[in-house]
Amino acid sequence: QKEVEQNSGPLSVPEGAIASLNCTYSDRGSQSFFWYRQYSGKSPELIMSIYSNGDKEDGRFTAQLNKASQYVSLLIRDSQPSDSATYLCAVSNDYKLSFGAGTTVTVRA
Amino acid sequence: NAGVTQTPKFQVLKTGQSMTLQCAQDMNHNSMYWYRQDPGMGLRLIYYSASEGTTDKGEVPNGYNVSRLNKREFSLRLESAAPSQTSVYFCASSELTGPYGYTFGSGTRLTVV
């Protein structure tokens, strides 16, 4: 079982809609969770971090964490074509992060 | 505002050749990391350095060595390149030792033929 699991997609959403991305993790001791955005041919860019159960909002992005279910999600509201990218879920494990394989999102105009 | 700088950006090697990937950060970060990214497999940790003077193996260390030259620089060496090492390599750094987000370099696209 992989440490961090994501649906690979692709996830296609119309412009203006909500994109919902999911991630599950196996290590119950994980304390910190991150979402990275990666455009094709570019390096990952940190967009959200969350450390406690509940929701955290930053602009059009909302991260949700449920440690009991070992589940973290990312919502992108009012999706724009510029949101088309691969989104990587990352979970902390001691000094290092474990990454999921990523979910590719395509926002169609 | 250089952040994390990786060199080279592209490299083609023949099987058996050696090379060193260079990484430097100017953010005074303590921790540095080397990942490789392959299609469908996400980012996998090769080696990391929690602080200057220490290095540890990650998930896929075989065929690689690292050197934490000083606080700024962390290099990755392939002693005898193999086609299985064809990948995109990312260096990253983090401010503190622990569960904090990384800043990534722009990557090195390596092809071994």
Side-chain angles (χ1 to χ4, degrees):
Chain A
Q1 180 189 5
K2 291 187 65 175
E3 290 186 42
V4 182
E5 299 266 11
Q6 294 181 251
N7 291 331
S8 60
L11 177 65
S12 179
V13 298
E15 186 173 356
I18 295 174
S20 178
L21 290 75
N22 303 317
C23 173
T24 58
Y25 59 95
S26 61
D27 184 356
R28 284 196 171 274
S30 299
Q31 293 296 319
S32 304
F33 307 86
F34 305 88
W35 284 99
Y36 284 81
R37 177 177 61 199
Q38 187 175 25
Y39 293 114
S40 180
K42 302 296 185 181
S43 59
E45 170 193 15
L46 180 65
I47 56 171
M48 289 289 288
S49 59
I50 187 166
Y51 304 100
S52 56
N53 282 330
D55 295 358
K56 178 181 179 182
E57 185 175 318
D58 184 359
R60 295 186 295 109
F61 298 100
T62 299
Q64 300 172 317
L65 174 62
N66 184 326
K67 290 186 179 179
S69 300
Q70 296 175 246
Y71 174 90
V72 58
S73 66
L74 179 71
L75 300 177
I76 307 174
R77 293 184 302 281
D78 189 23
S79 294
Q80 301 297 310
S82 60
D83 295 325
S84 297
T86 296
Y87 291 80
L88 305 173
C89 174
V91 175
S92 69
N93 182 0
D94 293 328
Y95 301 119
K96 48 198 184 295
L97 294 182
S98 296
F99 288 83
T103 299
T104 299
V105 175
T106 300
V107 180
R108 57 185 191 273
Chain B
N1 57 343
V4 179
T5 302
Q6 287 184 237
T7 56
K9 293 191 182 303
F10 301 93
Q11 183 72 48
V12 178
L13 287 180
K14 293 182 179 179
T15 298
Q17 287 185 318
S18 62
M19 78 161 295
T20 299
L21 281 65
Q22 306 287 353
C23 176
Q25 51 91 9
D26 63 0
M27 297 172 287
N28 202 36
H29 284 176
N30 285 309
S31 302
M32 298 185 73
Y33 309 82
W34 277 105
Y35 282 84
R36 61 177 288 174
Q37 187 173 35
D38 302 292
M41 302 192 72
L43 288 156
R44 293 183 292 169
L45 182 64
I46 305 171
Y47 271 94
Y48 67 102
S49 172
S51 61
E52 185 179 358
T54 68
T55 60
D56 287 285
K57 295 179 180 179
E59 180 184 355
V60 288
N62 291 343
Y64 305 95
N65 285 300
V66 292
S67 296
R68 183 75 183 265
L69 304 171
N70 47 56
K71 190 171 185 178
R72 292 186 62 249
E73 299 173 284
F74 188 40
S75 63
L76 178 71
R77 183 161 179 83
L78 286 70
E79 292 291 351
S80 178
S84 61
Q85 295 178 304
T86 294
S87 187
V88 180
Y89 292 85
F90 288 102
C91 177
S93 71
S94 176
E95 181 175 1
L96 297 173
T97 300
Y100 296 94
Y102 297 168
T103 299
F104 281 89
S106 58
T108 296
R109 187 172 297 273
L110 175 68
T111 301
V112 182
V113 298

